[in-house]
Amino acid sequence: MSDSFKPAGSPPKGLARFRRLLPFAKPGLWYFVGGLIAGWVFALSTGAGIPAMLKTVFPVIFKDANAPESVVNFTRRLFGDDYRDKLLLIVCMLLPFVFVIRGIAAFTNRYWLNKMGFIALENLRMAVFERLQQLPLAYYQQH
């Protein structure tokens, strides 16, 4: 027996196993894409939004000597001499906004990816049911 011999009933290997399931998932493609985009928004707000605020804005508010000069100059031009109080007010409003965006993006990501999975599963169940309905009665008598 050679290594290239493959019995007729052997399951497909590698990605071929999943390629045959793609037609069932295709109707939920836009939910999958939307879920990925929502996941990216969540990742950006978590990995860039909060650390950027902690690194650049908080040192200005708390009068740290290591505060970025560009941020200090920008806020001074934008708000005037009492820029620390106004910047504190904006940060106090912006920080909850970042967490709201994170929450909405996380919910949307989970919801749409689950919806895509349910669509694929429903289509697979319908195809199996349709196939079982088309089998002759003799099949059920033998099995």
Side-chain angles (χ1 to χ4, degrees), residues 33-90:
V33 170
L36 286 180
I37 291 171
W40 289 332
V41 169
F42 175 75
L44 283 174
S45 65
T46 302
I50 297 169
M53 202 174 293
L54 291 174
K55 188 183 282 185
T56 59
V57 176
F58 284 173
V60 174
I61 293 172
F62 297 116
K63 301 178 184 177
D64 189 6
N66 297 332
E69 195 64 34
S70 60
V71 175
V72 172
N73 291 336
F74 176 75
T75 54
R76 190 172 281 154
R77 274 187 280 133
L78 190 63
F79 300 121
D81 289 333
D82 60 340
Y83 65 93
R84 282 194 176 92
D85 295 334
K86 292 179 182 175
L87 185 61
L88 180 62
L89 178 65
I90 287 176

Side-chain angles (χ1 to χ4, degrees), residues 1-10 13:
M1 206 187 281
S2 70
D3 290 335
S4 64
F5 175 76
K6 181 176 159 185
S10 68
K13 302 270 189 222

Side-chain angles (χ1 to χ4, degrees), residues 1 10 19-20 32 45 58 82 85 96-97 116 118 124 140:
M1 206 187 281
S10 68
R19 276 194 208 119
R20 64 188 176 133
F32 181 71
S45 65
F58 284 173
D82 60 340
D85 295 334
F97 179 73
M116 184 270 192
F118 286 133
L124 182 62
Y140 294 107

